[in-house]
Amino acid sequence: MDMILVFSFLLFSLISQIQSKPTLTANPRTLSKSGDSVLIQWSGINSPSKLDWLGLYSPPDSAHDNFVGYKFLSSSPTWESGSGSFSLPLTSLRSNYTFRIFRWTESEVDPGFHDQDHNPLPGTKHLLAESEAVGFESGRGPEQIHLSLTGRDGEMRVMFVAEDPEERYGEKEGRWRSDVAVARAGRYEREDMCHAPANHSVGWRDPGWIFDAVVSGLKDGVKYYYQVGSESKGWSLTRSFVSPDKRSNKLVAFLFGDMGAPTPYLTFSRTQDESISTVKWILRDIEALGDKPTFVSHIGDISYARGYLWLWDEFFHLIEPVASKVPYHVCIGNHEYDWPTQPWKPDWAKSVYGTDGGGECGVPYSVRFNMPGSSSEPTGTRAPATRNLYYSFDMGPVHFVYMSTETNFLPGSNQYNFLKHDLESVDRMKTPFVVFQGHRPMYTTGVDIKDAPLRERMIEHLEPLLVKNNVNLALWGHVHRYERFCPLKNFTCGSMGPKEEDWEALPVHVVIGMGGQDWQPKWEPRPDHPDDPVFPQPERSLYRTGEFGYTRLVATRKKLTLSFVGNHDGEVHDTVEILTSGRVLNGNNDDDNGKVGAIHKIDATHYSLPHYVWGGSILVLGGFIGYVIGFVSHARRQVAQGRGWTLVKTQET
C-alpha cells in the first residue's frame, strides 16, 4: 500500500509539472510585410518575477545570448498572474523569428554584461518556453526602397533589398509601359566586417541582396510611377517620385543629422524613438508640397547600428515612406566608420577616431547607399573600399557639397583637392547659393574636447575654402542639438551693419544633429548632475535649443531661408534668411540678445513652388530579385528647465 501511495504521489507531481509547463504562442505565424504585428501570448509562469523576459531571435537557431531584442513580461498588465500578452511589429530580416521566455534572477545580474547605457543585459540560464517560428509571406516583393540623385540630368537612382539575386526581368502587362531599368545586385559578408560586434555572431545578420538601378531619360519636373521586383518573387507596391527640374528657380529640402531608428524592443545598442516624429513631420511637409521636386539630407550617424546589423533594417523600414518618394542623401559619420585600425588616423587624431563604428568600418554604409560621384578610400582590409565620402550636385538654385570628416581632408588629399576644385568651379549664375555639409562640426559650443584637434584643422584648412568661395551655409551634425551661429570666420562674427555694403559675406554655420539621437551634452548644469560639463553660450552662438527636429531649406534665386522645425509640435522655432550678397536679414535674434529659448514663429505653409505637369511615364524596375526595477534603469534623456535646456516634454508624455 505504501508503494502505491508513493507511486501515486510521484505520478501526481509529474502530471502537475506537465500541466504547469509555461506555454508561449505567436500569431499569426505568417506576416504579409515588414511592420505587421505579431501577438505574443504566454501562460503558466509560476511565481512570476519582474525580471522574466521575452527574447526575439532571428534566425531561429541563434544562440540564447544572440537575441535581436528583448522585452520584460512585466510590460503586460496581467503579468503577475503568470499569463499575459503584447503585440510586436516585426521588420523582416530575411529569416524567421522565434520567441523565448527566460527567468533571470537578481543574483545572476552581471554588471560586466551590459548594453550601451551600462544597464545589465538579461541572463539566459533558465529557459522557460519557446514559440513556433514566425515568418513573412513569399512573393511579397522587395523592401527598403530608397532613391538618390546621380548628379546627372534626367536620372534617378532606386535601391532596394531582396532575398536572392534571381536573374529575371519583367514588366507588368497592361498597366505598365515597357520601360525597364536593370538593377545590379551586391552584398557584404561577415568577413568584410573589421571588428566586434559586427563580425561576431551577436552582431552579424545577413543583409540580403542590395539592388541598385538607375532610371534614365526622365523629363524635368515630371511625376513617375514605379515598382521594383520580379514576376517570380513579387512586386512592391506602386511608388512615385517627381524628377528634378533644372529649370526651377525654387527649391525646398529637408536636412538633419544623427537620426537613427526606433525598435519595439530593448537591445544591445540605444535606439532612437524620437526619429519617429522626425520622419512623421518631414513626410507631412513632403505631402504638402505636392508634385514638386525635393530631397532629404541626412548628414552622418545614419542608423546607429554600431555593429548590431539588423538595426540597418529597422532604419530603412523607418525611412521608406519618405525615401521611396524623394531622394535621400547622406554623408558618413563616426558611427558608420570609426574603428581602431582605420587607414587614416594621424597622431593628433587618436582622441578623435575610436570604435564608434562597432566594427562596420563603413561597409554597410558604402553598400546600402550610392551617392553621386566616385569618391572612395581603401579600408586596408579585405572589405570593399569606403564610398560616398565627398560629392556635390545642383538642385534648383543651390549647389550642395558634402564632405567626410572621418577620412583625410588635409591639403594634398584627394578630398581636399575635390572640395577646392568643386567650390572654385561653382557657376553662381546657375546656382547663386552654396550649402556645405559634413558630420563633425567646425563650430559648436556643446561638445567634449576630444574633437578639438579636428576642429582646429578644419578651421585652419577648410574654412579658408568656404570663406574665399562665398559659401552661404555650412551644416554639421554630431552634436545632438540645434545651434545657429552668426556669419563666422575664425570664431569672429563678420561685420553686420545696417546697410548692404556694411555686411561681410561669411558662412552661417548651423549644427543640425537633432534628428533623433538623445545622447547629448548639457549646456547648463543640472541640480542632480553637478559634475556635468557646462558649455556657456558665447556671442557668436545666436540660437541653440535642446529640441529635436529637422531643418527646412527654402531657396529662390534671391534668398535662402533655413527654418528649424521642432518635433514636439511640428512648428517653426527658429529661422534665418540669407541673401545672395551674404547679408543675413533676420538671423540676429536682436529681440532676445541671441540666447537660448527664443522662438521665431513663421507660417510653415508660406513656401511654394510652381506647379508642374503630371507625367504619364511609368517605370518598372526589374530586379535580380524598461527597465523599471531598482538596480536596473533604462537610460532616458534628462529634461531640465533653464536657459541652456529647452523643456520639450517630460518622460511621462
Side-chain angles (χ1 to χ4, degrees):
M1 178 65 69
D2 290 340
M3 290 183 62
I4 294 174
L5 290 173
V6 170
F7 176 77
S8 299
F9 175 77
L10 292 175
L11 181 62
F12 175 79
S13 298
L14 179 62
I15 293 173
S16 298
Q17 291 176 19
I18 294 174
Q19 289 177 340
S20 64
K21 183 178 180 180
T23 61
L24 176 62
T25 61
N27 289 294
R29 297 278 303 281
T30 302
L31 304 177
S32 62
K33 64 183 184 305
S34 286
D36 285 356
S37 292
V38 61
L39 177 63
I40 308 295
Q41 295 177 295
W42 65 90
S43 62
I45 303 291
N46 291 323
S47 303
S49 162
K50 286 186 177 181
L51 291 180
D52 295 339
W53 61 280
L54 175 94
L56 291 74
Y57 293 86
S58 182
D61 60 356
S62 298
H64 286 339
D65 56 356
N66 289 349
F67 47 78
V68 167
Y70 61 96
K71 283 180 69 75
F72 289 102
L73 302 191
S74 58
S75 61
S76 170
T78 61
W79 71 274
E80 290 180 293
S81 69
S83 302
S85 65
F86 43 63
S87 291
L88 283 173
L90 298 181
T91 297
S92 172
L93 303 182
R94 297 155 300 280
S95 62
N96 290 341
Y97 282 84
T98 57
F99 306 90
R100 305 170 196 171
I101 290 178
F102 293 90
R103 171 140 295 169
W104 184 36
T105 65
E106 293 187 21
S107 63
E108 295 169 336
V109 173
D110 180 5
F113 182 51
H114 56 75
D115 64 14
Q116 182 194 20
D117 293 319
H118 300 283
N119 296 313
L121 288 164
T124 59
K125 185 176 180 180
H126 310 291
L127 176 67
L128 301 184
E130 184 169 4
S131 75
E132 298 291 331
V134 172
F136 290 83
E137 290 179 357
S138 60
R140 67 186 183 280
E143 297 182 325
Q144 302 184 26
I145 302 167
H146 56 286
L147 308 172
S148 63
L149 303 172
T150 66
R152 298 181 293 270
D153 292 341
E155 291 186 348
M156 183 71 75
R157 186 181 302 279
V158 186
M159 299 185 72
F160 53 93
V161 172
E163 295 179 12
D164 59 67
E166 178 176 324
E167 297 183 16
R168 184 166 186 246
Y169 311 97
E171 61 177 284
K172 287 273 189 172
E173 296 181 359
R175 293 175 52 200
W176 302 101
R177 285 176 49 182
S178 58
D179 297 322
V180 176
V182 178
R184 64 178 178 84
R187 57 178 283 120
Y188 50 88
E189 305 295 341
R190 179 171 171 175
E191 292 75 20
D192 295 327
M193 305 296 104
C194 58
H195 206 262
N199 62 2
H200 288 194
S201 57
V202 67
W204 169 257
R205 293 298 184 278
D206 189 289
W209 288 89
I210 299 158
F211 297 88
D212 185 336
V214 174
V215 183
S216 58
L218 303 177
K219 299 177 182 179
D220 286 349
V222 172
K223 186 173 185 177
Y224 289 88
Y225 296 87
Y226 70 99
Q227 285 185 310
V228 298
S230 71
E231 293 293 351
S232 62
K233 295 297 183 180
W235 295 93
S236 70
L237 297 175
T238 301
R239 313 281 183 165
S240 66
F241 62 81
V242 179
S243 59
D245 188 352
K246 60 180 177 292
R247 306 164 303 175
S248 176
N249 292 322
K250 293 186 179 180
L251 170 67
V252 177
F254 307 96
L255 312 97
F256 56 86
D258 305 76
M259 185 173 72
T263 57
Y265 48 76
L266 299 172
T267 188
F268 299 93
S269 184
R270 178 185 294 191
T271 57
Q272 296 75 38
D273 290 345
E274 196 69 40
S275 61
I276 299 173
S277 294
T278 303
V279 169
K280 177 187 73 173
W281 294 122
I282 290 176
L283 188 59
R284 171 205 64 178
D285 285 358
I286 290 172
E287 291 174 346
L289 277 176
D291 300 328
K292 303 175 180 67
T294 185
F295 79 100
V296 168
S297 183
H298 185 164
I299 55 173
D301 286 3
I302 310 299
S303 71
Y304 282 97
R306 289 167 287 195
Y308 299 101
L309 295 172
W310 63 88
L311 294 178
W312 279 104
D313 297 283
E314 299 285 4
F315 171 78
F316 279 105
H317 174 66
L318 169 72
I319 70 166
E320 186 174 11
V322 168
S324 62
K325 288 177 176 286
V326 304
Y328 197 100
H329 279 255
V330 294
C331 70
I332 198 166
N334 52 303
H335 286 296
E336 285 75 60
Y337 186 73
D338 293 3
W339 83 96
T341 58
Q342 64 191 71
W344 188 66
K345 197 171 185 179
D347 290 341
W348 57 262
K350 289 182 179 179
S351 66
V352 178
Y353 303 120
T355 60
D356 292 343
E360 295 182 12
C361 49
V363 174
Y365 168 83
S366 298
V367 178
R368 288 177 173 271
F369 292 105
N370 193 349
M371 297 293 103
S374 57
S375 64
S376 67
E377 293 289 345
T379 60
T381 70
R382 64 153 278 169
T386 308
R387 303 189 310 171
N388 309 319
L389 298 174
Y390 45 89
Y391 62 95
S392 67
F393 60 86
D394 296 338
M395 190 80 164
V398 183
H399 181 71
F400 292 93
V401 186
Y402 292 77
M403 74 162 292
S404 164
T405 58
E406 311 309 300
T407 56
N408 192 353
F409 58 81
L410 300 181
S413 66
N414 291 335
Q415 176 168 205
Y416 181 89
N417 293 338
F418 168 83
L419 295 175
K420 182 176 185 295
H421 178 265
D422 185 86
L423 291 172
E424 292 174 348
S425 303
V426 176
D427 182 355
R428 302 305 277 255
M429 296 298 294
K430 179 182 178 183
T431 54
F433 292 100
V434 175
V435 175
F436 190 91
Q437 298 173 86
H439 182 59
R440 300 186 198 239
M442 187 178 295
Y443 290 100
T444 177
T445 62
V447 70
D448 60 343
I449 61 173
K450 73 174 186 176
D451 277 353
L454 181 81
R455 295 196 301 274
E456 291 172 3
R457 284 155 181 83
M458 291 173 68
I459 291 171
E460 178 183 0
H461 301 296
L462 297 183
E463 185 176 56
L465 294 181
L466 274 58
V467 172
K468 178 182 177 182
N469 294 286
N470 297 318
V471 168
N472 303 97
L473 187 63
L475 302 176
W476 313 98
H478 194 55
V479 179
H480 307 144
R481 290 285 187 266
Y482 172 83
E483 182 171 24
R484 176 171 56 80
F485 292 87
C486 62
L488 199 58
K489 180 177 69 174
N490 194 24
F491 296 96
T492 304
C493 294
S495 300
M496 297 180 288
K499 298 180 181 180
E500 186 89 14
E501 56 269 22
D502 295 332
W503 274 79
E504 186 177 2
L506 295 175
V508 174
H509 291 257
V510 187
V511 176
I512 58 170
M514 67 297 175
Q517 173 60 287
D518 64 354
W519 209 4
Q520 304 169 335
K522 304 297 181 289
W523 283 319
E524 296 288 342
R526 295 174 292 164
D528 55 340
H529 292 74
D531 297 329
D532 277 359
V534 179
F535 301 101
Q537 186 173 10
E539 290 301 318
R540 62 181 175 271
S541 174
L542 299 184
Y543 184 99
R544 65 183 190 181
T545 178
E547 171 70 286
F548 296 91
Y550 60 97
T551 59
R552 180 194 302 136
L553 183 151
V554 181
T556 67
R557 296 192 62 81
K558 295 183 179 181
K559 184 173 67 175
L560 182 151
T561 303
L562 186 75
S563 302
F564 165 59
V565 182
N567 272 357
H568 77 286
D569 60 2
E571 297 294 330
V572 171
H573 291 265
D574 181 52
T575 184
V576 59
E577 296 178 330
I578 306 172
L579 301 183
T580 52
S581 64
R583 183 179 181 183
V584 178
L585 291 184
N586 61 339
N588 293 359
N589 284 358
D590 294 331
D591 295 339
D592 53 77
N593 296 317
K595 297 308 175 184
V596 173
I599 304 299
H600 295 272
K601 295 270 189 178
I602 66 171
D603 188 341
T605 63
H606 284 178
Y607 58 90
S608 61
L609 292 177
H611 292 282
Y612 297 112
V613 179
W614 277 50
S617 300
I618 308 297
L619 294 173
V620 180
L621 300 181
F624 295 73
I625 263 264
Y627 290 115
V628 291
I629 307 162
F631 59 87
V632 183
S633 61
H634 179 56
R636 309 177 80 170
R637 74 174 182 274
Q638 301 294 319
V639 182
Q641 298 189 54
R643 197 179 76 178
W645 180 261
T646 300
L647 179 63
V648 176
K649 44 189 162 183
T650 66
Q651 292 184 13
E652 289 72 33
T653 59

